[in-house]
């Protein structure tokens, strides 16, 4: 499980470094000071967040996923080389749950234009995605969590983070009022708090 996760994380890191390198080659970081770039990127992150909230699905085309899955299924299990190859292929198969987060991280790497930072950001993302796999693998599945509503809660939490990143992009736009930005931040935290049940806890405390 460790080699599987590390190969997946390294693949993510290489993807981040490539995106950052391309962005640095065209001096994309300088363009990110322009509202014509900042606003579309903010809209992109809002669109990714809406996908996490379940309004639509973003994933790699089924035909490509099918081919990569077929290659992965032919790898010999139980060998380190086979596990590494499966980890690399799994990183290339962007599912509907992780797809928006990965796209957002790649966009962040491109925005920064730093190859090292792009690699590190995507590598850490890969480690975060793979950490539960290491826990499950080393425990022989004894601590394998059951599917349930908590999985949707994780997706919604990632959606809130993507919305926060969109606001960080909007903060750089000079003609947007700081008051409006603060109102948007407040709205994000209020809506997230209400969804997490703060009003329910308040009403229960009042009843007691």
């Amino acid at each position: 499980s460790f080699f599987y996760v590390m190969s997946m994380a390294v693949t993510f890191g290489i993807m981040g470094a490539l995106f950052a390198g391309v962005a640095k080659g065209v001096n994309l970081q300088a363009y990110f000071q322009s509202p014509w770039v900042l606003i579309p990127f903010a809209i992109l992150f809002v669109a990714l967040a809406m996908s996490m909230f379940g309004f639509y699905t973003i994933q790699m085309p089924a035909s490509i996923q099918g081919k990569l899955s077929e290659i992965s299924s032919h790898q010999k299990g139980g060998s380190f080389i086979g596990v590494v190859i499966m980890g690399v292929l799994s990183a290339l198969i962007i599912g509907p749950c992780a797809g928006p987060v990965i796209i957002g991280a790649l966009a962040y790497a491109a925005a920064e234009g730093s190859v090292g930072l792009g690699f590190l950001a995507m590598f850490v993302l890969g480690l975060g995605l793979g950490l539960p796999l290491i826990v499950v693998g080393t425990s022989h599945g004894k601590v394998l969590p059951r599917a349930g509503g908590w999985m949707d809660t994780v997706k919604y939490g990632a959606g809130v983070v993507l919305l926060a990143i969109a606001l960080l992009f909007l903060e750089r736009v000079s003609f947007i009022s700081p008051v409006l930005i603060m109102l948007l931040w407040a709205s994000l935290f209020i809506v997230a708090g209400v969804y997490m049940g703060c009003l329910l806890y308040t009403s229960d405390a009042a009843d007691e």
Side-chain angles (χ1 to χ4, degrees), residues 190-208:
I190 291 173
V191 172
V194 171
Y195 175 78
M196 292 172 64
C198 68
L199 295 181
L200 296 178
Y201 296 134
T202 303
S203 61
D204 292 342
D207 294 338
E208 294 178 0

Side-chain angles (χ1 to χ4, degrees), residues 14 23 46 55 61-62 77 91 93-94 151 166-167 170 180 189 197 199 208:
I14 294 174
V46 172
F55 289 98
I93 303 174
I94 302 177
M151 300 177 67
L167 287 178
L170 291 179
L180 177 59
F189 287 127
L199 295 181
E208 294 178 0

